[in-house]
Amino acid sequence: MINFEKVSFEEIPLLISWFKKEHIREYWVSILNKTDEEITNKYMKRLKEDVIEMFIIKKNNVKIGFIQTYLLEDPKQFMISDKCKGIDLFIGDEKFLNQGFGTETLKRFLKNKVFSDSSIKFACIDPEVKNKRAIRAYEKVGFKHVNTDFDKYSKLLTYYMVIDRDDFLTLSNTMV
């Protein structure tokens, strides 16, 4: 069973160890060329500010990855204007790759964390165009492609995807 545990200060070294893995570094560009100290400071600041909700993904009580959500201030690249939460995630432990845990994680996270807030109309996710594995996982959950453009932060070609709350809740009875 997949569940979520809020990230604590003590888990920042675990995050750093995952950020050093090639399968994460390839797509998590915000940590490239950052020192351990810079990464620690970034995530400690996030924990203190509590604007970005960060969780460790656990499978049967084993820490397997990371997921975060945040209110999007300007969701226009997702072609929407309603209240929307962005999501970022990765499976950190290689033993759990290619087994469907990303899809399972996202379904549970949407149901239990994102759409449990009735004011959230959409969830948005933005993998790089070349991250085919992630795109397939997100499509399995019900995310739809709405735009392809260069991300203003990473400057990389990005595949913007959205899932509507009502559509997800209709499907979720059969999914989760």
Side-chain angles (χ1 to χ4, degrees):
M1 173 167 207
I2 297 283
N3 58 19
F4 308 100
E5 178 181 283
K6 280 235 180 215
V7 170
S8 67
F9 291 109
E10 294 78 25
E11 285 162 325
I12 292 175
L14 174 62
L15 291 179
I16 290 172
S17 73
W18 283 338
F19 286 141
K20 291 180 180 180
K21 296 182 182 267
E22 189 56 38
H23 74 279
I24 294 170
R25 293 181 64 78
E26 184 176 1
Y27 299 112
W28 206 273
V29 297
S30 66
I31 51 88
L32 290 177
N33 304 316
K34 301 265 192 250
T35 66
D36 290 0
E37 182 179 357
E38 289 171 321
I39 294 169
T40 298
N41 290 339
K42 175 180 180 171
Y43 285 86
M44 285 182 68
K45 181 179 178 190
R46 285 185 177 181
L47 285 171
K48 289 175 186 170
E49 291 175 351
D50 201 30
V51 174
I52 297 175
E53 297 176 83
M54 302 183 299
F55 300 89
I56 297 293
I57 304 164
K58 295 174 86 177
K59 172 71 175 169
N60 297 329
N61 228 18
V62 175
K63 297 174 183 180
I64 68 167
F66 173 77
I67 191 165
Q68 64 184 18
T69 188
Y70 44 89
L71 196 58
L72 279 173
E73 294 175 13
D74 183 14
K76 71 178 174 227
Q77 68 270 30
F78 293 96
M79 310 308 220
I80 58 173
S81 58
D82 289 314
K83 196 168 182 183
C84 177
K85 279 206 167 179
I87 300 170
D88 303 305
L89 76 147
F90 61 75
I91 301 298
D93 189 329
E94 297 98 325
K95 295 182 301 240
F96 294 92
L97 291 174
N98 302 313
Q99 297 181 43
F101 295 125
T103 301
E104 182 182 350
T105 294
L106 197 47
K107 289 174 186 176
R108 290 197 180 280
F109 194 74
L110 286 167
K111 185 173 184 177
N112 298 326
K113 300 293 182 190
V114 176
F115 290 138
S116 62
D117 177 347
S118 62
S119 73
I120 302 299
K121 177 73 174 142
F122 295 99
C124 302
I125 202 156
D126 56 354
E128 289 180 39
V129 168
K130 66 180 182 173
N131 193 346
K132 302 296 185 198
R133 179 174 39 196
I135 291 168
R136 276 192 310 276
Y138 306 153
E139 288 172 339
K140 288 178 187 176
V141 173
F143 278 85
K144 305 258 189 284
H145 174 249
V146 294
N147 186 22
T148 302
D149 202 353
F150 288 93
D151 178 75
K152 65 182 177 182
Y153 300 107
S154 71
K155 309 296 187 228
L156 298 170
L157 193 58
T158 300
Y159 200 77
Y160 293 98
M161 304 177 79
V162 174
I163 190 165
D164 178 280
R165 170 193 177 76
D166 295 334
D167 292 346
F168 175 77
L169 293 177
T170 299
L171 293 172
S172 69
N173 292 331
T174 59
M175 293 193 316
V176 180

